[in-house]
Amino acid sequence: VKENGYEDVIRVLQCRVEDCQLEEKVDIIVSEWMGFYLLHESMLSSVLTARDKFLKPGGLMLPKTAKLYAAPVNMEDYCNERFGFWTDVF
């Protein structure tokens, strides 16, 4: 932000949103919260907290959309070969 000359316009906060205190609501929230498979890092609740607590009406969340594609797969033989021993560990 500083190297690009925006330190008077953009404020970067590096803290948990649950611990954050702001004097006023913001126009934009930028957060990399998805991890892999979109929800793996369990950050969705924090992003929603930030939105509800700090974002002005009509404000922008970035990224604002995400897509998860999934396809059904039958891997019974593969799983039995590699993990089947866990069904009888005693």
Side-chain angles (χ1 to χ4, degrees), residues 34 38 65-69:
M34 294 167 281
L38 293 181
T65 62
K67 293 181 181 180
L68 176 65
Y69 295 95

Side-chain angles (χ1 to χ4, degrees), residues 54-73:
F54 300 122
L55 193 62
K56 289 180 182 177
L60 183 62
M61 298 278 301
L62 295 175
K64 66 179 187 172
T65 62
K67 293 181 181 180
L68 176 65
Y69 295 95
V73 176

Side-chain angles (χ1 to χ4, degrees), residues 17 20 22 25-26 29 49-56:
V17 70
C20 187
L22 296 177
K25 294 199 176 218
V26 300
I29 295 175
T49 297
R51 179 198 65 191
D52 297 344
K53 193 173 176 182
F54 300 122
L55 193 62
K56 289 180 182 177

Side-chain angles (χ1 to χ4, degrees), residues 1-2 4-12 26-28:
V1 173
K2 185 176 182 178
N4 289 300
Y6 289 101
E7 65 269 15
D8 295 333
V9 179
I10 298 172
R11 182 175 169 195
V12 177
V26 300
D27 298 308
I28 300 171

